[in-house]
Amino acid sequence: MAQKIYQVDAFTDRPFAGNPAGVCIVPHAVDERWMQNVAMEMNLSETAFLHRLADGWSLRWFTPGVEVDLCGHATLASAHTLWETGSVPTGEEIRFHTKSGLLTAHRDSGWIVLDFPSTPPSPSELPEGLAEAIGVTPRYVAKSKFDYLLEIDSEDDVRRLEPNTSWLRRLPVRGIIVTARASSRGIDFVSRFFAPGSGVDEDPVTGSAHCCLTPYWSRKLGKSEMVAYQASRRGGTVKVRLAGDRVLLAGQAVTTLRGELVTA
């Protein structure tokens, strides 16, 4: 029997922007080698695999190269797909059981809101060679559970970055977040995310990076609710809110492809 698969652009309200994710709803737990092969075939930054549980859904995320512990845009895409396909009734909260614990999704005024764990960064030394690889000397360096965070001087500097991803691949972290206070109207901060060591040179819009960015900028700006923009080529908007040790990430999503894996 052919296995249905979807491609969804997340953190955007229009096709061919935001971050594309694969979504595969399977009838039961499947072999992780098969999931990794499907993710490699899809060749997107993440492909999500879901199956129903008694009290929600099992959710796992794979890049073309590895399984990851937390992914925002593929979770957003998964929630969008479950509601769109009628797998979950419209308006019902979705519970995801993941390697990062229980995550939930609900709808609010046309936006999908994800409840994720906060991963606040701590001050860190700048690894030797990282400034040269990024192409700019950061004004502040920190490290979260998953990534390095580098604050640089301006939004324009963030947008202009052309890092040496071959060098970044050596770092023993999931990825590198580069961020700055926004100068664009209606946005609080901007960022870009590079994860060549995880098989993704640049991720277009990274929900999980905002679990680190939100507590960081909340402290700096003195506000708990903010609007973020990930300034990749595709770009995407994330509304964020710090809620204790949790971060609420709100985004929109658009299905761009529905297909079947004929070799499933």
Side-chain angles (χ1 to χ4, degrees):
M1 177 177 168
Q3 170 64 54
K4 290 183 178 179
I5 195 162
Y6 306 87
Q7 186 168 313
V8 176
D9 288 343
F11 293 114
T12 181
D13 61 355
R14 58 187 176 87
F16 317 125
N19 199 353
V23 179
C24 191
I25 306 171
V26 294
H28 49 71
V30 294
D31 182 76
E32 66 180 38
R33 291 173 298 180
W34 180 82
M35 290 188 284
Q36 186 63 76
N37 284 335
V38 171
M40 182 174 62
E41 186 74 10
M42 293 294 288
N43 199 31
L44 301 169
S45 59
E46 307 282 349
T47 298
F49 298 86
L50 304 106
H51 68 268
R52 194 184 295 273
L53 301 173
D55 62 341
W57 295 80
S58 168
L59 173 59
R60 294 172 71 175
W61 310 278
F62 289 79
T63 77
V66 297
E67 182 175 10
V68 297
D69 291 335
L70 188 64
C71 178
H73 85 280
T75 305
L76 186 80
S78 296
H80 169 83
T81 301
L82 289 175
W83 284 315
E84 187 176 69
T85 60
S87 301
V88 174
T90 300
E92 183 176 301
E93 181 183 77
I94 303 174
R95 294 165 58 87
F96 295 112
H97 297 272
T98 78
K99 286 192 170 186
S100 289
L102 177 66
L103 311 176
T104 63
H106 70 272
R107 280 175 158 166
D108 183 8
S109 303
W111 292 70
I112 298 171
V113 182
L114 308 177
D115 185 336
F116 269 41
S118 175
T119 56
S122 300
S124 174
E125 294 293 326
L126 179 67
E128 184 176 355
L130 180 52
E132 291 78 9
I134 289 291
V136 64
T137 300
R139 63 194 303 174
Y140 184 80
V141 182
K143 192 176 181 183
S144 73
K145 178 179 179 181
F146 300 116
D147 311 305
Y148 277 110
L149 181 146
L150 310 180
E151 183 190 348
I152 63 176
D153 287 337
S154 72
E155 176 178 332
D156 287 343
D157 288 341
V158 171
R159 291 178 180 273
R160 284 194 293 259
L161 290 175
E162 294 183 9
N164 181 343
T165 53
S166 295
W167 191 96
L168 297 181
R169 193 170 289 115
R170 308 174 190 175
L171 292 172
V173 291
R174 182 186 67 164
I176 299 90
I177 307 165
V178 186
T179 187
R181 190 181 299 226
S183 54
S184 297
R185 190 179 184 88
I187 302 171
D188 292 289
F189 62 88
V190 298
S191 68
R192 288 172 67 186
F193 184 73
F194 307 98
S198 300
V200 182
D201 282 355
E202 180 172 4
D203 195 37
V205 193
T206 315
S208 60
H210 288 78
C211 296
C212 169
L213 287 160
T214 300
Y216 179 75
W217 283 108
S218 178
R219 177 181 58 81
K220 290 205 68 169
L221 300 179
K223 55 200 298 189
S224 60
E225 294 190 36
M226 296 166 286
V227 177
Y229 184 76
Q230 193 155 329
S232 66
R233 181 179 177 183
R234 292 174 65 100
T237 300
V238 188
K239 293 182 179 180
V240 301
R241 178 160 71 90
L242 186 63
D245 63 352
R246 308 291 292 182
V247 172
L248 301 182
L249 308 170
Q252 297 170 298
V254 180
T255 301
T256 57
L257 183 151
R258 300 181 183 94
E260 292 183 340
L261 293 166
V262 297
T263 59

